[in-house]
Amino acid sequence: MIKKVLFVAMAAALVVSCDSDKKRENKRSDDKGVVETSMEKKDVEQNVVNEPTSTPDASGDIVYVDMAYLSAQCKLSLTEGKALEAKLEEYQAEFKRANDAWMAKEQALQAEAAKIQDDYQKTLITSITAQQKGEDLQRRYAEFQNSVQNEANKLAQQEQALAEEQMVLGTRFTTLLKTAVEMVNSQGQYKMVVTNDVVIDAHESLNISALVLAEMDKLYDEGALN
């Protein structure tokens, strides 16, 4: 049996460094105690994400983006991502139907084989009749196996096509994200942009996800990926 397609989160960690010729020494504000805002990695499939609460400061040397928030809220995910998710759910339902049908058919053939053996042992049928029924059962079982193989091959092709669509969508998301970050940081105000996947603790004012999301959606509407 072929394995089920697993819906994989398309968000990939991204670190964007600014051009060296745009470096500027930014003086930090009073370095007071760090506000302990624990950033837990969110479950994208359940769309449990943090909404950015305020406009980020432009003085941070290192800022971050919330990947769960971006992947759940960007127009690319809400259109192409939702469409792919629907295809995946349809495939999984089709796989389950086929698998259930295969199991039921195999159990029926096994039960028929057991009955032939039982009838023969109870002398309800002759050895010739048992042999004839056994040969007929073997023929039908071979046909069943061929049918399963053909259907499994078709499902495998669908699985491969969906996996390729997932890869393409992931690449499109990463490309859009990188371009958006470069646009937001076109003046070189940030020395580094990281994802919250690798951040243990950071002040919310360093979260530029709202700015990046707006730029991602703008680029998407403008056909930047076409």
Side-chain angles (χ1 to χ4, degrees), residues 60-180:
D61 290 339
I62 300 177
V63 293
Y64 71 90
V65 293
D66 187 329
M67 296 297 289
Y69 171 75
L70 294 177
S71 63
Q73 299 299 324
C74 72
K75 288 185 177 180
L76 174 66
S77 296
L78 295 177
T79 54
E80 298 178 26
K82 289 294 183 183
L84 178 56
E85 184 178 353
K87 289 183 181 180
L88 287 167
E89 291 176 354
E90 182 180 351
Y91 166 80
Q92 290 170 352
E94 183 178 355
F95 179 91
K96 185 178 184 305
R97 286 193 298 270
N99 193 58
D100 290 346
W102 296 338
M103 292 180 62
K105 181 64 174 179
E106 185 170 21
Q107 289 173 357
L109 291 172
Q110 289 174 347
E112 189 174 345
K115 187 177 186 309
I116 294 172
Q117 181 66 21
D118 185 59
D119 286 349
Y120 175 69
Q121 289 179 345
K122 293 178 178 179
T123 65
L124 295 176
I125 58 175
T126 65
S127 59
I128 295 178
T129 300
Q131 181 178 356
Q132 291 173 341
K133 287 187 174 183
E135 291 174 351
D136 178 67
L137 184 61
Q138 288 180 344
R139 177 185 58 78
R140 287 188 287 120
Y141 188 75
E143 292 175 351
F144 164 68
Q145 286 184 313
N146 289 334
S147 175
V148 168
Q149 187 60 54
N150 291 334
E151 194 169 359
N153 289 340
K154 292 179 181 179
L155 288 171
Q157 291 175 357
Q158 292 181 36
E159 181 181 0
Q160 178 62 31
L162 289 170
E164 291 177 358
E165 285 190 48
Q166 287 182 12
M167 291 179 62
V168 170
L169 186 60
T171 300
R172 286 169 66 80
F173 176 85
T174 301
T175 301
L176 195 64
L177 173 61
K178 184 176 185 298
T179 304

Side-chain angles (χ1 to χ4, degrees), residues 29-47:
S29 301
D30 293 340
D31 189 13
K32 296 182 180 179
V34 178
V35 178
E36 295 183 355
T37 304
S38 179
M39 297 169 48
E40 298 180 355
K41 191 171 183 181
K42 304 300 181 181
D43 186 352
V44 178
E45 292 182 357
Q46 297 180 359
N47 290 333

Side-chain angles (χ1 to χ4, degrees), residues 12 15 63 89 105 149 183 207 211 221:
V15 175
V63 293
E89 291 176 354
K105 181 64 174 179
Q149 187 60 54
M183 294 295 291
N207 182 356
L211 298 177
D221 287 339

